[in-house]
Amino acid sequence: MPIKTIGSRDNPEFRQLLSLAEEAKARREAGLTLLDGWHLIEAALQAGHRPNKLIVAEGQAWPAEAQDLLRDIPRLIVSGAMMRALSPVKTPTGLMATIGIPQPAAQAVKFAILLEGIQDPGNLGALLRTAAAAGVEAAYLSTGCADAWSPK
């Protein structure tokens, strides 16, 4: 597994990660999104999605289970300040990953939700989590909704 350390915010690879963190257009064009923290990365793995790259804060320790499952994935080491710039949370976990944005499978569903005009990514995430807990099988978002794959 290749390990690369980036020390400058001007590095093109860091700039691309920053655009993924901040811009829906960049996520759509790259077909990638960022996951912040072991919990989300683990959920992606359980759903059959393998990260393309790990972004790790310098000196950050992470669970042994994560190290075992992610040992063959390329790593990018960044400073704590750079991790804070990428992370949507106030206290970053120090571990992020890029994954390909999953494409929905065409299938018949019995219980779906249609969301229209939800502009705040946090509110959209809360609605999607609540819908999933209620057994919703599919969610459809209008063009006016926030980006479902926003790191927030």
Side-chain angles (χ1 to χ4, degrees):
M1 145 234 26
I3 298 176
K4 180 178 179 182
T5 300
I6 291 180
S8 170
R9 290 177 180 252
D10 294 327
N11 179 287
E13 198 166 1
F14 179 77
R15 303 294 307 161
Q16 182 198 23
L17 291 170
L18 197 55
S19 69
L20 292 176
E22 297 174 347
E23 304 167 22
K25 180 181 178 185
R27 289 188 292 275
R28 276 192 311 273
E29 288 175 356
L32 297 171
T33 193
L34 288 168
L35 301 179
D36 189 329
W38 170 238
H39 177 72
L40 289 177
I41 296 168
E42 183 179 36
L45 289 168
Q46 290 172 352
H49 303 288
R50 195 112 177 104
N52 305 69
K53 182 181 298 180
L54 298 175
I55 302 98
V56 183
E58 286 177 315
Q60 180 64 44
W62 28 303
E65 178 186 6
Q67 292 179 24
D68 291 342
L69 289 171
L70 304 171
R71 81 171 65 89
D72 61 335
I73 297 173
R75 295 181 193 173
L76 188 62
I77 310 296
V78 298
S79 70
M82 292 168 77
M83 180 64 76
R84 285 187 295 279
L86 292 174
S87 179
V89 297
K90 287 182 183 179
T91 309
T93 64
L95 176 64
M96 295 180 78
T98 60
I99 65 161
I101 295 174
Q103 297 304 307
Q107 62 184 21
V109 295
K110 294 181 181 179
F111 189 22
I113 187 171
L114 171 63
L115 300 173
E116 184 173 355
I118 310 300
Q119 295 180 356
D120 181 83
N123 290 345
L124 178 60
L127 287 167
L128 292 174
R129 287 188 298 277
T130 302
V136 170
E137 299 170 302
Y140 300 94
L141 282 59
S142 73
T143 56
C145 278
D147 178 20
W149 291 102
S150 168
K152 293 181 182 178

